[in-house]
């Protein structure tokens, strides 16, 4: 879900390790530009910068 170039991305991850499994919630806030995206999230916290080198149809 987003407005202009800003977005909020709630996620639910299924984790499996050994004989156990669990669910983990994560929410990310981001901004995308021409050929790049900057995203920060919780829990973590984390900060990610993504770059693209090309175009997709």
């Amino acid at each position: 879900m987003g407005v202009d170039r800003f977005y909020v991305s709630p996620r639910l991850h299924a984790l499996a390790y050994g004989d156990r499994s669990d669910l983990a919630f994560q929410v990310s806030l981001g901004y995308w530009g021409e050929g790049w995206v900057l995203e920060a999230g919780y829990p973590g916290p984390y900060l990610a910068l993504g770059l693209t080198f090309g175009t997709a149809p």
Side-chain angles (χ1 to χ4, degrees):
M1 125 178 82
V3 175
D4 197 20
R5 291 182 174 256
F6 292 93
Y7 65 90
V8 175
S9 177
R11 301 172 185 153
L12 186 61
H13 300 277
L15 306 174
Y17 41 95
D19 60 347
R20 296 189 59 206
S21 62
D22 206 353
L23 295 176
F25 178 75
Q26 177 184 29
V27 64
S28 300
L29 304 172
Y31 179 84
W32 71 88
E34 291 292 325
W36 61 275
V37 63
L38 182 63
E39 184 175 280
Y42 179 83
Y46 75 89
L47 181 64
L49 173 64
L51 303 173
T52 59
F53 301 98
T55 59

